[in-house]
């Protein structure tokens, strides 16, 4: 029987609450999402910013990480700020050898110890949440509050959720059992059996540019808690948030008496393509990836030695049939399109509206009026640059700008994207969302993902056709989110059935403070693993259970 580690005891209440939350799926959060001084302390924000600034124009403090051959700097802030942080660039052989050597003692420590240490890492990261938030803000182009919430508390909640699932799955099988089988008139056959949780091997986390912590933490902590060493390979434009994560993880591991090389950073040189090199190494037995469909498909096809978890691109869709709150619907959709300039994997792209218009609480609205209502809501949110940039943030890379230029030529522009001068960052790249109207036969355009501040109002023959188009595009391209607006319960049920068959999560009649592109840890699943947009869900049992195996030994008594 495993003895309780002091860190497991320290965090027992949090772990138990997380286990309850994943079972009940109601609202619960371990980490407050408001950056209020009343919660975090009067000096927390200033101290965190100062800690972030201390990293700039310096070698990042990972001097103790093994197998460093030189130092690299690849980040360019979407806000036009020079970061110039230099990170250790590893020799792959040496880094993987160090990670592999760290694993035996970690495996033998047992599930409770590993879970306790992992939750202590989250506590350490939470203590430095403003430092982390500034790093997310500046590397991704998210507005600061979003960088704080999504990059800090929400990411930590998702990590804790993964740890809770890992704890549950690792302890589902008892550590030992007594087996006794009757043997006729003779003595029964007796055996004692021991069940060992055995990790798969080194795990590789391939980070993304837009949500480096939120998308990486579930895989990182699911793998670490289940006994695997983790190599973190950040996106070259968003290294700092994950470097900070690795720094504090290594500190906690060392303080707890474990080899800090259980968590290492693999920063790549410009144009190196380090992710491909690492992904094909035989030591790497687990891969977590968020990013393009092309590279996700490559990983699934080529990294055959590993369990590969991918979140890729999709075509998120809203079906508009009718509404009893037209203004609320337009405001809600408009906010979803504006948030972080649509640079979220959950942002709606296609808004399917019948050509004959819809019935609303304000009377019949034509297709044009629906399009104008949604576009007007976006325009209102972005009219004041000082307020608008706190929603839009900045554009993360040039590919988004290229797609904006292309989108103008595919249909009728209802609302054009405009350049905005950021009131704080002179060289920030800011664009407002674009809304384009298309016909149902323009499937070549709306049938593919246009990542960024681009959405399409698609004119369909009817809601029935909208449901058909929805099912076809999601079936072919995948989606992470979907929504329906209708006052007809039969239509809502039909949309729910279509979404269930397509394997995409559905939101119904959102008009208030909940938005289709936001999901709550411990309650909402992010992705389903049931359509081409992702092969796994964050976070469920399937996401963690294949990161380890049960190996038994048995003895006669």
């Amino acid at each position: 029987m495993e003895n309780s580690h002091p860190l497991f005891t320290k965090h027992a209440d949090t772990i138990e609450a997380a286990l309850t939350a994943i079972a009940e799926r109601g609202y619960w959060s371990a980490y407050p999402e408001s950056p209020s001084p009343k919660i975090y302390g009067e000096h927390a924000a200033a101290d965190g910013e100062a800690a972030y600034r201390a990293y700039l124009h310096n070698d990042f403090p990972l001097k103790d990480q093994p197998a460093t051959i030189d130092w690299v700097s690849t980040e360019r802030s979407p806000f036009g700020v020079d970061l110039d942080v230099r990170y250790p660039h590893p020799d792959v052989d040496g880094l993987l050898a160090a990670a592999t050597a760290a694993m035996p003692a970690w495996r033998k420590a047992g599930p409770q110890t590993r879970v306790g240490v992992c939750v202590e890492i989250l506590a350490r990261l939470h203590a430095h949440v403003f430092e982390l938030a500034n790093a997310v803000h500046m590397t991704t182009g998210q507005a600061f509050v979003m960088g704080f919430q999504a990059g800090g508390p929400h990411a930590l909640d998702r990590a804790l959720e993964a740890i809770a699932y890992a704890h549950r799955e690792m302890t589902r099988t008892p550590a030992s059992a007594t087996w006794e089988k009757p043997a006729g008139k003779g003595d029964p056959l007796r055996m004692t059996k021991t069940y060992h949780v055995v990790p798969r091997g080194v795990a590789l986390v391939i980070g993304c540019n837009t949500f480096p912590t939120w998308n990486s933490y579930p895989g990182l902590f699911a793998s670490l808690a289940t006994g695997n060493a983790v190599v973190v390979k950040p996106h070259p434009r968003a290294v700092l948030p994950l470097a900070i994560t690795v720094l504090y993880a290594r500190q906690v591991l060392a303080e707890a008496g474990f080899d800090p090389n259980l968590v290492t950073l693999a920063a790549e040189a410009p144009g190196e393509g380090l992710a491909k090199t690492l992904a094909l190494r035989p030591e790497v037995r687990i891969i977590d990836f968020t990013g393009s469909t092309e590279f996700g498909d490559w990983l699934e096809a080529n990294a055959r030695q590993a369990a590969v978890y991918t979140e890729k691109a999709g075509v998120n869709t809203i079906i508009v049939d009718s509404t009893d709150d037209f203004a609320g619907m337009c405001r809600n959709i408009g906010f979803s399109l504006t948030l972080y300039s649509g640079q979220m994997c959950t942002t709606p792209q296609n808004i399917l509206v019948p050509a004959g218009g819809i019935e609303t609480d304000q009377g019949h609205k034509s297709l044009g009026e629906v399009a104008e209502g949604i576009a007007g809501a976006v325009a209102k949110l972005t009219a004041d640059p000082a307020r608008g940039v706190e929603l839009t943030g900045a554009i993360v890379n040039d590919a988004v700008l290229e797609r904006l230029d292309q989108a103008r030529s595919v249909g009728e522009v209802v609302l054009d994207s405009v350049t905005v001068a950021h009131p704080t960052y002179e060289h920030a790249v800011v664009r407002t969302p674009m809304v384009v109207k298309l016909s149902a036969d323009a499937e070549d355009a709306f049938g593919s993902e246009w990542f960024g501040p681009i959405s399409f109002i698609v004119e369909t023959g009817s809601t029935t056709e909208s449901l058909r188009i929805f099912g076809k595009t999601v079936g072919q391209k995948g989606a992470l989110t979907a929504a329906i607006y209708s006052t007809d319960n039969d239509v809502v049920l039909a949309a729910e059935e279509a979404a269930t068959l397509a394997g995409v999560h559905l939101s119904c009649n959102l008009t208030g403070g909940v938005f289709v592109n936001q999901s709550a840890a411990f309650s909402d699943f992010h992705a389903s693993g049931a359509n081409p947009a992702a092969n796994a869900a964050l976070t469920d049992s399937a996401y963690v259970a294949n990161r380890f195996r049960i190996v038994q030994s048995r003895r006669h008594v």
Side-chain angles (χ1 to χ4, degrees):
M1 183 73 177
E2 180 187 355
N3 294 321
S4 249
H5 189 276
L7 289 178
F8 185 88
T9 302
K10 175 182 176 181
H11 298 293
D13 289 346
T14 299
I15 295 163
E16 188 59 37
L19 288 166
T20 299
I22 63 172
E24 295 181 351
R25 316 243 28 117
Y27 170 75
W28 184 72
S29 174
Y31 308 100
E33 68 177 1
S34 171
S36 168
K38 293 181 179 179
I39 297 173
Y40 286 97
E42 183 179 350
H43 304 293
D47 290 347
E49 183 178 0
Y52 151 76
R53 292 191 179 281
Y55 294 127
L56 306 184
H57 314 292
N58 276 309
D59 290 344
F60 191 81
L62 278 176
K63 304 280 188 183
D64 65 329
Q65 182 170 289
T68 297
I69 54 176
D70 57 7
W71 294 73
V72 293
S73 177
T74 56
E75 289 161 309
R76 171 179 169 269
S77 173
F79 292 114
V81 176
D82 185 19
L83 303 181
D84 187 31
V85 187
R86 297 176 292 277
Y87 303 97
H89 181 221
D91 167 69
V92 170
D93 290 341
L95 194 72
L96 291 176
T100 301
M103 286 182 57
W106 186 237
R107 174 186 65 78
K108 292 176 183 177
Q112 278 197 359
T113 294
R114 292 195 297 268
V115 166
V117 173
C118 284
V119 179
E120 177 68 10
I121 295 172
L122 299 189
R124 185 71 54 87
L125 290 169
H126 190 228
H128 294 271
V129 68
F130 282 94
E131 176 183 334
L132 200 60
N134 277 280
V136 171
H137 166 58
M138 293 307 301
T139 56
T140 67
Q142 294 176 28
F144 179 78
V145 172
M146 183 177 184
F148 178 89
Q149 292 180 337
H154 294 174
L156 294 169
D157 272 338
R158 282 294 185 191
L160 181 58
E161 182 181 24
I163 293 168
Y165 273 102
H167 181 279
R168 191 174 75 176
E169 294 306 311
M170 288 189 295
T171 56
R172 189 181 296 278
T173 300
S176 62
T178 299
W179 182 85
E180 187 171 299
K181 179 181 178 181
K185 294 181 181 180
D187 293 335
L189 301 174
R190 295 188 181 91
M191 302 189 79
T192 59
K193 301 185 180 185
T194 304
Y195 303 96
H196 302 275
V197 173
V198 178
R200 291 182 68 97
V202 176
L204 171 65
V205 174
I206 303 172
C208 67
N209 195 171
T210 48
F211 290 89
T213 56
W214 197 98
N215 279 107
S216 296
Y217 279 12
L220 194 169
F221 285 95
S223 288
L224 190 63
T226 51
N228 306 278
V230 183
V231 175
V232 179
K233 206 298 292 182
H235 190 284
R237 288 178 177 264
V239 185
L240 186 55
L242 290 177
I244 291 170
T245 302
V246 170
L247 175 69
Y248 290 123
R250 289 174 64 83
Q251 284 184 8
V252 171
L253 286 163
E255 291 167 9
F258 295 100
D259 189 334
N261 295 327
L262 286 163
V263 180
T264 53
L265 184 76
E268 65 179 304
E272 180 182 9
L274 183 56
K276 278 192 174 183
T277 301
L278 288 166
L280 297 181
R281 291 288 298 231
E283 303 96 325
V284 171
R285 303 301 305 278
I286 303 167
I287 299 174
D288 288 277
F289 167 75
T290 299
S292 70
T293 297
E294 180 182 12
F295 191 59
D297 289 346
W298 183 91
L299 286 170
E300 291 171 9
N302 292 279
R304 306 303 295 271
Q305 85 289 352
V308 179
Y309 302 88
T310 60
E311 182 194 310
K312 300 174 286 189
V315 181
N316 302 319
T317 302
I318 296 176
I319 300 164
V320 179
D321 170 75
S322 55
T323 181
D324 58 8
D325 184 359
F326 182 72
M329 179 189 78
C330 292
R331 282 195 305 270
N332 192 282
I333 296 175
F335 184 90
S336 292
L337 302 183
T338 303
L339 191 62
Y340 190 28
S341 297
Q343 298 170 123
M344 302 173 68
C345 57
T346 51
T347 299
Q349 175 182 295
N350 295 343
I351 304 169
L352 309 180
V353 185
I358 66 171
E359 298 304 319
T360 81
D361 57 317
Q362 299 179 18
H364 184 81
K365 295 288 185 180
S366 67
L367 170 67
E369 288 174 316
V370 174
E372 289 169 6
I374 294 169
V378 173
K380 186 175 181 180
L381 288 168
T382 57
D384 177 3
R387 296 178 62 185
V389 296
E390 295 306 315
L391 291 178
T392 64
I395 298 299
V396 75
N397 59 45
D398 291 341
V400 176
L401 301 179
E402 293 169 5
R403 281 190 289 272
L404 272 170
D405 289 339
Q406 295 168 6
R408 288 189 178 90
S409 63
V410 301
E412 177 189 341
V413 176
V414 179
L415 179 70
D416 204 354
S417 175
V418 299
T419 301
V420 174
H422 198 290
T424 303
Y425 303 114
E426 179 183 358
H427 300 294
V429 180
V430 182
R431 300 290 188 275
T432 60
M434 173 186 292
V435 179
V436 177
K437 189 164 70 173
L438 299 175
S439 61
D441 59 6
E443 193 171 342
D444 287 346
F446 68 76
S448 298
E449 188 195 34
W450 294 65
F451 182 79
I454 302 161
S455 59
F456 300 118
I457 306 287
V458 181
E459 178 182 357
T460 69
S462 64
T463 295
T464 299
E465 186 183 20
S466 295
L467 288 167
R468 181 191 63 77
I469 291 171
F470 163 65
K472 181 180 179 181
T473 56
V474 174
Q476 292 178 345
K477 299 294 184 178
L480 297 179
T481 64
I484 176 72
Y485 286 91
S486 181
T487 58
D488 186 332
N489 190 55
D490 288 340
V491 172
V492 173
L493 291 174
E496 189 172 58
E497 178 68 8
T500 300
L501 291 174
V504 59
H505 305 309
L506 181 71
S507 298
C508 305
N509 293 319
L510 299 181
T511 56
V514 176
F515 304 94
V516 68
N517 47 343
Q518 297 174 321
S519 65
F522 304 104
S523 185
D524 294 324
F525 292 107
H526 174 75
S528 67
N531 70 64
N535 72 358
L538 305 183
T539 305
D540 63 3
S541 294
Y543 185 71
V544 300
N546 199 30
R547 296 172 192 260
F548 67 92
R549 282 288 183 262
I550 300 293
V551 178
Q552 73 174 37
S553 63
R554 56 186 185 173
R555 299 182 183 184
H556 281 293
V557 177

